[in-house]
Amino acid sequence: MRGNVYRADCPSRQVLDRIGDRWSVLVVGTLGEGTLRHGAIAARIGGITPKMLTQTLRGLERDGLVSRTVHAEVPPRVEYALTDLGRSLLGLARALDDWAETHIEQVDAARRAYDARTPS
């Protein structure tokens, strides 16, 4: 059964919220490089707090996009990786990254023009 994100009661909107979240896009893009630990993910994503990274990883894991593997060591080693479903999202996440980086000057110009003509 296929969802319809334009219907208010469709659960696919929750998925759209997850994959449209800035942190989710960045985490998926980062895990596209391979299996990583929490600290390595945080080091690659400037500005994300440990709490937000944990919340994002949990949400992505819950939705089946990320797997979490705990290795029985002292101290425990936890690694995160994209699942097959998560890898299917990787192209879109990278395309969003690329679009934002390519068009930031145009977006900034549009914002400045809008702010100049719109009273505060």
Side-chain angles (χ1 to χ4, degrees):
M1 182 174 122
R2 185 176 173 90
N4 181 345
V5 295
Y6 293 95
R7 284 192 21 230
D9 62 343
C10 184
S12 62
R13 278 198 181 181
Q14 295 170 356
V15 176
L16 191 59
D17 286 343
R18 168 81 57 225
I19 64 173
D21 172 69
R22 132 179 83 162
W23 298 122
S24 294
V25 169
L26 295 174
V27 168
V28 168
T30 299
L31 288 175
E33 300 171 17
T35 301
L36 296 169
R37 296 176 70 177
H38 192 279
I41 299 168
R44 285 175 170 82
I45 303 174
I48 193 167
T49 65
K51 179 181 176 182
M52 184 53 63
L53 178 55
T54 297
Q55 288 176 347
T56 301
L57 286 165
R58 284 182 183 160
L60 291 168
E61 182 182 8
R62 181 173 184 250
D63 289 346
L65 302 170
V66 167
S67 65
R68 179 179 183 266
T69 303
V70 179
H71 298 276
E73 301 173 357
V74 177
R77 180 170 45 104
V78 180
E79 295 178 325
Y80 297 90
L82 293 177
T83 62
D84 289 341
L85 185 61
R87 278 189 292 281
S88 74
L89 184 58
L90 188 55
L92 179 59
R94 287 184 174 156
L96 287 169
D97 291 348
D98 184 56
W99 188 93
E101 292 170 353
T102 300
H103 298 286
I104 187 58
E105 289 179 13
Q106 292 167 285
V107 171
D108 278 345
R111 287 175 177 170
R112 286 191 302 275
Y114 176 88
D115 291 348
R117 70 176 183 272
T118 304
S120 305

